[in-house]
Amino acid sequence: MKKALLPLLLIIPAACTQTPKNTEKSYPIVDSLLRVMTLEEKVGQTVLFTSDWTVTGPSIRQGYIEDIRAGRCGSIFNAYTAEYTRKLQEVAVNETRLGIPLLFGYDVIHGFRTIFPINLGMSCTWNPGAIERSARVAAKEAAAAGLHWTYSPMCDICMEPRWGRISEGAGEDPYLGSLIAAAMTRGYQGKDLAADTTVLACVKHYAAYGAPIAGRDYNTVDMSERWLREYYLPPYKAAIKAGALSVMASFNELDGIPATANRHLLQDILRDEWGFTGFVVTDYTGIPEMVFHGYADDDEDAGRLAMNAGVDMDMQGAAYMNYLADLVRSGAVKESTLNEAVRRILTVKAKLGLFEDPYRYCSPEREKSQTLTQENKAEARAVAAESMVLLKNDGVLPLKKGVKTAVIGALAASKDDLLGSWRGAGEVESVPASILDAIKEVTPVVYAEGCQEEGEDRSGFAAALAAARGASQVVLVIGEDCQWSGEAASRSDIHIPGVQSELLEKLAAAGKKVAVVLLNGRPLDLSAESETAGAILEAWYPGTMGGYAVADVLFGDVNPNGKLSVTFPRTLGQVPIYHYAKNTGRPYRYTGAKYESRYLDVPNEPLYAFGHGLSYTTFKYSPITLSADNFSGSGNLEARITVTNTGTCEGIETVQMYIRDLVGSVTRPVKQLKGFTKIALRPGESREICFTIDRCTLSFYRADMTWGPESGGFKIMIGGSSDNVQEASFSYEE
Ligand code: NOJ
């Protein structure tokens, strides 16, 4: 392996769930403005419209510039470049009575111009530091193009592969998801929101948007308060604790109440419990959609419900613009409620430094010098390689350089698909190499398209087989078109589409050991491919530098070290499947007994478990040694394990620690991720890893919904994957 290895990364367990303390500074400019603003001007600050530059929802409002000029619209999204945002800002600053600057938002989801891997891929790095750096790069590029506000981090826990938006999140686990949510927030906002290199983060989609019934986008969500709090809320909370100052209400309903008018979520939990002081924005037309939900009579009623529930800003709904002033005049909304919303929005504008210099973020010079730089691209290439997960390897990888290699698949030649969905302002012209191009730079290549990602056309099979026969090694790039992930991209079938798998079968039947590279945005059913492929590298949609990053991993310049942040089922019938399942009263004991919790036709276990990911080297784990077999109160216990690189090349391992609480006042999962550490080891090198277990590690929502641990027996499990662990037992006395 040529590349330098990562230094030891110790991931410190997230702190116990104390309410974050937000010390609010007040801004005199905000008070002065509120004193002189008319009712209409106040309403204008609660209105957010899209420009017509990018379409991210079903409706576009014509005449948004006129709205700005008339003071009807205080924020704009989907408009960017230093030049264009300056032009719009000039209208707000010079042509409205009070000259309040606009706030410019955009979906900077996994990069702005330099595109990083999709977020699901990034989460497989299990490297919050690298994720924070990627968010910093994105913020720098976006802030230079006039943007103040990104609609990220997406904090939706998801165990539903049918849902296209699983690609935008950090997977199924609340512990890992929380670390990532906090890292992204820090990356975007930095230490100083007013700096011209930072942008405001927006925590979305609050809440539980990642659990739509049957995986259909925008569908109903329903779950117990306990499940919500334990598994779904932690990442949103972690981002807020890290300082995020805006939150987006989700499209879905929860327990029968749309999130956009859900006071329990927006007031009780978000503000009263978590101390959130920023502002809440709806998702795209979230307010009028409450009429379709059957929760509001009409748009006016929906506007009343949203404002009274704690929604400060209306994205694209026009309900606040059209009705809020009248609702205040009639007393249906208190003026003090509107004042509070406006105060929150203006305070964030003040924190961004917009009242000092509304054009601070519009810099054509910075836009040129800080965008798509060599440094940004190097960061993207490194993270992309780190995000890839080697699912299977029968000794096929790494490939040899300088050896004739057949590269097959339409996706191999695609630059566009590398960028994935929600690619910010990323352009295909900025992608220097497809996977095919990058492989060509290291080895002689014969290329055959074989087939497209979709459709039944097998006419390219013969040429693909001929190419494979004439080569010493074969790479097949297959997966999903990148627009099959993201918003409004749910699938009812999670197989690899079209005839791509059939092509793999044919290549395998011809005696070829095929290295499959997958480009996709969700866990797929790979049962068939896992039998026929010689190796499977899950490359997700790896971004601008993704072609090179794939080649880096295929040819061993980078030893793969990604680990799955989401479970890959054997079949859709196992979904939802996740590593923190419970034991049930009739656990499966593999005895052949009938009345056990299992399927008749497939095993209970997934195809690839959460935490799985191979390396070109191998790691051996010693048994666990505990510093004691019990501890109590605020004490702690140390669990040590020695990991040895038993292979022939250096590699990076993610050592994962899981806990099981054997008996509780409510039942507990069979395993739950509670800590991890990433270590680099040379061949033959060993390192002892120590995890500290304290009452915080053991805490959960007890039967009375208080947060804390309970006395009793516990199991600790440590290993390189959730399904490959060493075990030890201890007890705790509260
Ligand atoms: C709808 C999406 O749900 C959300 O994630 C996005 O930020 C907004 N549209 C704005 O584009």
Side-chain angles (χ1 to χ4, degrees):
M1 305 298 117
K2 279 198 316 203
K3 297 270 157 72
L5 288 174
L6 288 178
L8 172 71
L9 295 165
L10 264 180
I11 309 298
I12 292 116
C16 266
T17 63
Q18 271 131 34
T19 303
K21 294 247 176 323
N22 268 313
T23 37
E24 259 312 272
K25 175 176 164 197
S26 72
Y27 289 82
I29 178 79
V30 174
D31 295 323
S32 327
L33 280 169
L34 274 167
R35 269 196 297 274
V36 299
M37 286 169 89
T38 63
L39 181 55
E40 282 70 19
E41 283 165 338
K42 287 178 189 168
V43 169
Q45 289 303 307
T46 69
V47 175
L48 166 66
F49 281 130
T50 177
S51 82
D52 44 12
W53 276 40
T54 309
V55 180
T56 58
S59 62
I60 294 288
R61 185 178 161 79
Q62 302 300 332
Y64 63 93
I65 299 183
E66 221 11 77
D67 290 325
I68 299 169
R69 187 167 286 123
R72 283 193 295 263
C73 171
S75 303
I76 289 287
F77 68 117
N78 291 340
Y80 56 92
T81 71
E83 194 190 336
Y84 192 59
T85 51
R86 175 177 286 270
K87 187 176 150 205
L88 296 180
Q89 193 69 295
E90 278 169 357
V91 176
V93 170
N94 301 333
E95 300 184 41
T96 63
R97 187 176 76 98
L98 296 172
I100 300 174
L102 293 166
L103 181 69
F104 290 108
Y106 197 60
D107 287 287
V108 181
I109 306 297
H110 52 107
F112 179 61
R113 293 280 192 193
T114 304
I115 302 304
F116 287 79
I118 57 165
N119 303 77
L120 186 59
M122 295 235 271
S123 66
C124 292
T125 63
W126 292 52
N127 186 346
I131 293 172
E132 180 172 340
R133 285 196 299 279
S134 75
R136 190 166 303 138
V137 168
K140 229 184 192 179
E141 292 191 348
L147 293 168
H148 313 132
W149 185 24
T150 172
Y151 301 136
S152 176
M154 195 268 218
C155 301
D156 304 325
I157 290 296
C158 187
M159 53 186 81
E160 176 48 85
R162 287 170 292 190
W163 194 50
R165 305 199 79 172
I166 194 170
S167 60
E168 293 175 49
E172 72 189 33
D173 185 70
Y175 175 81
L176 179 60
S178 297
L179 290 170
I180 291 174
M184 290 182 79
T185 303
R186 288 193 301 270
Y188 291 135
Q189 296 198 164
K191 288 198 168 61
D192 176 12
L193 207 50
D196 58 17
T197 49
T198 58
V199 293
L200 168 69
C202 183
V203 179
K204 73 185 192 185
H205 305 83
Y206 184 71
Y209 182 42
I213 291 176
R216 206 179 69 227
D217 207 358
Y218 318 123
N219 204 5
T220 306
V221 175
D222 204 1
M223 63 179 68
S224 69
E225 178 89 5
R226 181 183 308 285
W227 194 258
L228 172 75
R229 283 181 179 268
E230 184 145 356
Y231 302 109
Y232 281 81
L233 293 188
Y236 308 109
K237 181 175 179 180
I240 287 159
K241 199 169 171 185
L245 280 174
S246 75
V247 166
M248 187 186 294
S250 53
F251 286 126
N252 57 283
E253 66 166 66
L254 185 65
D255 196 14
I257 301 181
T260 308
N262 197 315
R263 246 191 108 71
H264 180 52
L265 288 176
L266 299 177
Q267 187 62 45
D268 304 346
I269 297 178
L270 184 65
R271 294 197 184 278
D272 297 348
E273 280 183 38
W274 298 353
F276 175 66
T277 57
F279 69 85
V280 175
V281 62
T282 69
D283 203 341
Y284 207 110
T285 57
I287 296 180
E289 287 176 25
M290 289 198 287
V291 177
F292 294 103
H293 274 288
Y295 192 69
D297 290 332
D298 50 29
D299 289 5
E300 178 172 1
D301 193 32
R304 175 184 66 81
L305 288 162
M307 182 49 71
N308 286 337
V311 169
D312 305 303
M313 193 185 279
D314 174 1
M315 182 195 284
Q316 194 64 14
Y320 284 180
M321 182 180 77
N322 291 332
Y323 306 108
L324 194 48
D326 281 346
L327 285 165
V328 170
R329 280 188 206 103
S330 72
V333 169
K334 289 193 193 128
E335 182 150 15
S336 57
T337 307
L338 172 61
N339 286 346
E340 207 34 53
V342 177
R343 175 183 297 283
R344 289 175 188 140
I345 294 164
L346 292 180
T347 301
V348 170
K349 287 187 175 181
K351 287 188 172 170
L352 283 159
L354 294 178
F355 291 109
E356 285 153 21
D357 178 3
Y359 307 106
R360 161 176 295 177
Y361 295 77
C362 321
S363 160
E365 295 74 40
R366 276 205 324 277
E367 200 172 19
K368 267 204 201 88
S369 65
Q370 302 199 352
T371 296
L372 281 161
T373 61
Q374 287 311 320
E375 271 176 350
N376 296 0
K377 289 196 273 190
E379 194 71 62
R381 180 168 175 170
V383 177
E386 197 178 350
S387 74
M388 292 177 197
V389 184
L390 184 60
L391 296 174
K392 172 185 175 174
N393 191 13
D394 278 351
V396 175
L397 295 179
L399 299 175
K400 292 190 183 66
K401 291 182 182 175
V403 164
K404 190 161 176 202
T405 304
V407 178
I408 301 171
L411 283 172
S414 167
K415 289 183 175 179
D416 184 69
D417 286 284
L418 295 176
L419 297 177
S421 69
W422 285 123
R423 59 203 28 204
E427 288 166 351
V428 73
E429 293 71 28
S430 311
V431 177
S434 64
I435 296 173
L436 173 63
D437 299 332
I439 295 179
K440 275 184 183 162
E441 289 186 25
V442 282
T443 208
V445 164
V446 47
Y447 173 67
E449 188 178 86
C451 62
Q452 295 292 321
E453 313 87 87
E454 290 175 64
E456 304 291 308
D457 185 1
R458 296 170 177 81
S459 59
F461 277 22
L465 279 159
R469 283 200 186 98
S472 324
Q473 42 194 20
V474 182
V475 177
L476 174 67
V477 185
I478 52 178
E480 299 173 306
D481 179 292
C482 68
Q483 296 307 333
W484 283 36
S485 294
E487 189 177 350
S490 294
R491 291 185 67 194
S492 67
D493 177 353
I494 56 168
H495 287 102
I496 294 182
V499 292
Q500 299 177 96
S501 292
E502 201 180 310
L503 176 57
L504 169 61
E505 260 172 51
K506 295 262 185 302
L507 291 165
K512 287 292 167 185
K513 285 209 156 203
V514 181
V516 169
V517 175
L518 289 176
L519 296 186
N520 56 290
R522 53 164 59 78
L524 293 169
D525 172 345
L526 300 174
S527 299
E529 296 76 12
S530 68
E531 298 287 327
T532 40
I536 305 180
L537 179 69
E538 175 55 84
W540 308 110
Y541 297 113
T544 304
M545 300 303 286
Y548 287 123
V550 167
D552 289 342
V553 174
L554 287 179
F555 290 89
D557 291 327
V558 174
N559 192 345
N561 57 84
K563 298 279 188 178
L564 291 179
S565 62
V566 67
T567 304
F568 273 46
R570 286 173 194 278
T571 162
L572 188 56
Q574 291 181 313
V575 168
I577 184 167
Y578 45 94
H579 74 280
Y580 43 93
K582 299 197 178 171
N583 209 31
T584 82
R586 292 186 178 187
Y588 187 28
R589 295 191 176 90
Y590 304 92
T591 59
K594 178 171 171 59
Y595 298 102
E596 290 186 346
S597 179
R598 67 180 176 112
Y599 300 101
L600 294 178
D601 50 352
V602 283
N604 282 8
E605 291 72 29
L607 185 64
Y608 298 118
F610 175 84
H612 170 76
L614 304 171
S615 164
Y616 295 152
T617 188
T618 45
F619 299 101
K620 190 165 163 273
Y621 284 73
S622 72
I624 299 171
T625 324
L626 298 178
S627 57
D629 54 14
N630 61 70
F631 74 105
S632 60
S634 57
N636 62 39
L637 173 153
E638 286 178 348
R640 290 170 194 278
I641 196 160
T642 300
V643 186
T644 305
N645 181 342
T646 48
T648 53
C649 59
E650 54 188 342
I652 294 171
E653 174 69 324
T654 302
V655 184
Q656 304 156 37
M657 189 260 286
Y658 298 85
I659 291 282
R660 176 174 182 187
D661 184 342
L662 298 178
V663 179
S665 60
V666 292
T667 59
R668 305 295 302 140
V670 169
K671 59 180 65 118
Q672 219 179 350
L673 182 71
K674 291 290 181 177
F676 62 89
T677 282
K678 240 179 145 169
I679 51 168
L681 293 174
R682 288 184 295 276
E685 188 183 353
S686 296
R687 185 164 308 156
E688 188 183 73
I689 302 298
C690 175
F691 290 103
T692 302
I693 321 294
D694 59 17
R695 68 188 303 279
C696 180
T697 325
L698 309 180
S699 293
F700 65 103
Y701 286 99
R702 297 172 288 206
D704 62 0
M705 289 304 275
T706 57
W707 176 261
E710 287 178 347
S711 303
F714 291 82
K715 204 149 103 173
I716 177 168
M717 292 150 273
I718 303 178
S721 169
S722 67
D723 65 349
N724 186 9
V725 288
Q726 302 290 320
E727 295 184 4
S729 299
F730 65 92
S731 61
Y732 171 75
E733 189 66 39
E734 176 62 340

